[in-house]
Amino acid sequence: MRKSCAPMLALMLAVPGAGRAETLGVDQVVALSQAGLGDEAVIAKIRASGSRFDLSADQMMALKKRGVSGPVIAAMLSSAPAAAAPGATATSMDSPDPAVAHPTGVYMLQAAPAPHMVRMNATVSNQSKTGGIIGYALTGGIASASVKASIQNETSRVHAATGQPDFYFFFDEANADGRLTSTWTQGDGATIQSPSEFTLVRLTKKDGRREARVGSFNIGGAKAGVMDKDRLGYDYQLVRPGVYKVTVVKPLPPGEYGFIYALRAGAGATGAAGARVFDFTVDGA
C-alpha cells in the first residue's frame, strides 16, 4: 500500500498548487541551472517557492563556479519578498489581468488553453546588413541602398493565433513600489515610458534569420529609422499608470513581426546592429 502511494505523492509535489509549495535549497538551484532550463525559468521557480537565501561573498563565488548565472544569484539574494502594503495586488508573470503587477516588459495576451499573458523577451539584432548596394554603385548613388537589422531564427518563440492580438506594455511607473525589477533600465531603455517609442514592422524571412529595414542612404543623404511605408499601425490606451494596452489597427496576415525600439537619428548601421526587437509570429488559419 505504501509503495503504491509513492508515485502519487511525487506527482503532487511536482504539480503547482498540489500540496505544499516546494522549498528550494542551494543545491537544487545549482541543479536547475546546470539542467539548461534558462535563467527565467530558474528565477521564476525561486520566486514561486518563497525560498530565502542568505549568501556570503564566498558562497556567491562558489555558485558562479558551479554554473549559476549572475541574474539567478541576484534573484536568490532578493528572494525574500518585501512586505506588501495593505491592499496591494499580487504579482504574476502570466495573469491576464493588467491590474495585477507584472515584471516590466512587453506581453501578448493569449486565449488558450485559458486566458494568460506571455512575456515577450527582446531579441537583439546580431548584425546589420546593406541591400541594393549594386544599384547604388551603378547609378552613382542615385538609387538608394538600405540598412537592415537582422535577428536570429526564421520564426519567433511567441505565436499569435489571430491577426489582431492584444499586447500589454508594463513600464517602471506600474511598479513604483520597487517590488519588481525593471526591464528598461539598460542603455537607451532607461527613458522608455510609452508604446509610442516603438515601431511595429513586418520581418522578412531569410536563411536562418529575419530582417527589418531600418535605414537607407543615397547621393542625397541618409535616413535612420524604419521607413514610413514599412511601419504598421497600432493604437494604445492607458490602462493604469505605467500600463498600456496595445492593439494593431488592421489584422496582420500570417508572418513574422516585431516591435522595435525607436532608433536614434544618425545611428546608421551601428544602431541597426544593436536594435532590440520584441518579435512574434502570426500563425495561419
Side-chain angles (χ1 to χ4, degrees):
M1 208 41 200
R2 287 183 180 177
K3 185 176 181 180
S4 63
C5 291
M8 181 60 69
L9 178 60
L11 180 61
M12 290 178 64
L13 291 174
V15 176
R20 297 174 60 187
E22 180 184 9
T23 301
L24 294 181
V26 171
D27 289 340
Q28 288 172 298
V29 173
V30 172
L32 291 172
S33 298
Q34 293 177 346
L37 296 174
D39 287 355
E40 285 198 352
V42 178
I43 291 172
K45 182 62 176 175
I46 291 172
R47 291 174 176 167
S49 70
S51 302
R52 303 189 181 198
F53 301 91
D54 185 13
L55 302 176
S56 65
D58 289 340
Q59 288 175 315
M60 292 170 63
M61 289 186 287
L63 285 171
K64 188 66 175 176
K65 290 180 180 179
R66 296 176 69 183
V68 180
S69 71
V72 171
I73 294 174
M76 294 172 71
L77 290 171
S78 61
S79 57
T89 57
T91 61
S92 174
M93 287 288 292
D94 60 2
S95 171
D97 184 0
V100 172
H102 290 66
T104 55
V106 178
Y107 295 76
M108 177 189 290
L109 181 63
Q110 296 188 338
H116 66 286
M117 288 193 194
V118 174
R119 195 171 190 226
M120 300 166 61
N121 294 318
T123 300
V124 179
S125 173
N126 54 8
Q127 62 176 305
S128 62
K129 302 182 64 180
T130 55
I133 198 69
I134 295 178
Y136 173 85
L138 291 177
T139 61
I142 296 176
S144 294
S146 59
V147 178
K148 300 177 181 180
S150 177
I151 62 175
Q152 62 188 357
N153 302 324
E154 291 187 6
T155 189
S156 173
R157 298 176 63 181
V158 179
H159 288 249
T162 173
Q164 285 190 296
D166 290 330
F167 303 90
Y168 285 90
F169 286 50
F170 288 79
F171 296 100
D172 291 344
E173 187 180 4
N175 298 319
D177 60 5
R179 282 181 295 156
L180 299 173
T181 56
S182 174
T183 297
W184 314 112
T185 55
Q186 299 296 322
D188 295 339
T191 62
I192 294 178
Q193 298 178 352
S194 163
S196 64
E197 300 176 63
F198 294 77
T199 302
L200 177 61
V201 299
R202 182 162 187 172
L203 304 174
T204 303
K205 279 188 178 184
K206 297 294 183 179
D207 294 334
R209 65 184 187 278
R210 288 158 289 160
E211 295 178 348
R213 187 168 62 163
V214 294
S216 66
F217 58 91
N218 58 24
I219 195 172
K223 296 180 181 179
V226 178
M227 304 297 100
D228 289 340
K229 65 181 180 180
D230 293 338
R231 297 171 184 264
L232 298 173
Y234 65 89
D235 195 8
Y236 61 89
Q237 63 183 34
L238 181 66
V239 176
R240 63 180 177 88
V243 181
Y244 293 82
K245 180 180 180 180
V246 175
T247 55
V248 296
V249 174
K250 297 180 179 179
L252 303 174
E256 300 297 319
Y257 300 88
F259 288 96
I260 302 180
Y261 278 177
L263 297 176
R264 302 184 310 278
T270 302
R276 297 181 70 195
V277 185
F278 290 88
D279 56 306
F280 62 96
T281 301
V282 173
D283 294 327

